[in-house]
Amino acid sequence: NKPENIDLPKYSADEIIAIENAYNYGAQYIYFRRFKNRPPIPQVYIYDLTTAEVINNDVLVKLHQRLYSSGHVPMFFVFSKTEVRIFNCYDRPAKNNKLIYKPLTIIKLAAKISDLFDATDEKDIEKFKAFSGRSFDNGSFWENSPFSKEFQFANSAYERLLTELKQALNDIINKNILPSFVARKIMVIS
């Protein structure tokens, strides 16, 4: 659904902005964590590719890069006919400055009957439980799930940018390129 088709009275301004952002990144759904006395926070963009014959990993890599750079959500889910691919948007999708396909985990949704008795199915059930809506709603995903350590805000594009800006400011001051007060004022204004 396009953002202009949103039933405006039904949503807060924060939700409308988040929905428009999700739409701009091609997400079909967005999952919010809701609070009593503050705006909801987008947690997951969801992409429904269940009708796709083939999923192009290069497209997912580029999407991961865009979402990592945007900082809009901590993760995105890609549903196919047989699995859910989960990506961490705080984790840079690159190695040695080359983009790479890097899902956090993949959960199988369907299996052959002969695989139903395999021990790996139990692992998929545990993964599935870790990503339940309830764990996002109450915040336990970020604190207690087996994946919580994977989501380090310090690795986000926003934090990396701030670190680089601080280093640039220090370099400008230490190399006497500009007086300290001028350099700080320029950094604050920009």
Side-chain angles (χ1 to χ4, degrees):
N1 229 352
K2 293 184 178 182
E4 54 265 15
N5 296 336
I6 294 173
D7 183 10
L8 293 178
K10 189 175 176 182
Y11 299 100
S12 70
D14 293 302
E15 289 171 308
I16 292 168
I17 291 168
I19 292 167
E20 288 176 348
N21 285 333
Y23 179 80
N24 289 334
Y25 286 94
Q28 285 86 10
Y29 306 94
I30 184 171
Y31 189 89
F32 289 97
R33 180 173 180 199
R34 298 189 183 282
F35 302 92
K36 287 188 187 226
N37 296 318
R38 62 184 233 211
I41 298 175
Q43 300 290 292
V44 182
Y45 284 173
I46 301 170
Y47 296 85
D48 180 358
L49 301 182
T50 55
T51 59
E53 290 299 318
V54 177
I55 296 176
N56 184 335
N57 287 348
D58 291 337
V59 171
L60 295 180
V61 168
K62 288 181 178 130
L63 176 62
H64 192 177
Q65 177 189 32
R66 290 181 62 218
L67 291 173
Y68 167 79
S69 296
S70 77
H72 289 297
V73 287
M75 68 180 83
F76 69 99
F77 294 0
V78 178
F79 282 79
S80 72
K81 293 176 185 176
T82 60
E83 62 191 15
V84 180
R85 301 177 195 189
I86 299 173
F87 293 83
N88 177 353
C89 296
Y90 288 165
D91 193 16
R92 189 169 175 237
K95 189 172 189 173
N96 300 325
N97 290 326
K98 185 176 184 220
L99 288 175
I100 58 170
Y101 175 71
K102 192 176 180 183
L104 172 67
T105 192
I106 298 173
I107 301 171
K108 300 286 183 197
L109 297 177
K112 294 183 213 169
I113 292 175
S114 61
D115 292 340
L116 290 176
F117 302 102
D118 190 1
T120 57
D121 285 339
E122 188 124 346
K123 290 178 185 172
D124 282 338
I125 291 168
E126 289 304 313
K127 287 181 195 176
F128 196 74
K129 287 179 183 177
F131 290 97
S132 75
R134 183 175 296 161
S135 69
F136 288 111
D137 290 343
N138 65 25
S140 65
F141 176 85
W142 306 110
E143 297 167 7
N144 304 323
S145 84
F147 298 95
S148 62
K149 290 181 177 69
E150 301 290 331
F151 290 87
Q152 301 297 319
F153 187 68
N155 295 334
S156 70
Y158 176 78
E159 281 295 312
R160 291 174 61 102
L161 176 62
L162 284 180
T163 301
E164 292 298 322
L165 286 172
K166 287 176 187 175
Q167 184 58 50
L169 177 62
N170 288 336
D171 290 347
I172 290 168
I173 292 169
N174 293 339
K175 294 178 182 178
N176 293 320
I177 295 171
L178 290 172
S180 175
F181 74 94
V182 173
R184 289 184 200 287
K185 194 162 202 100
I186 288 172
M187 283 293 193
V188 170
I189 292 172
S190 58

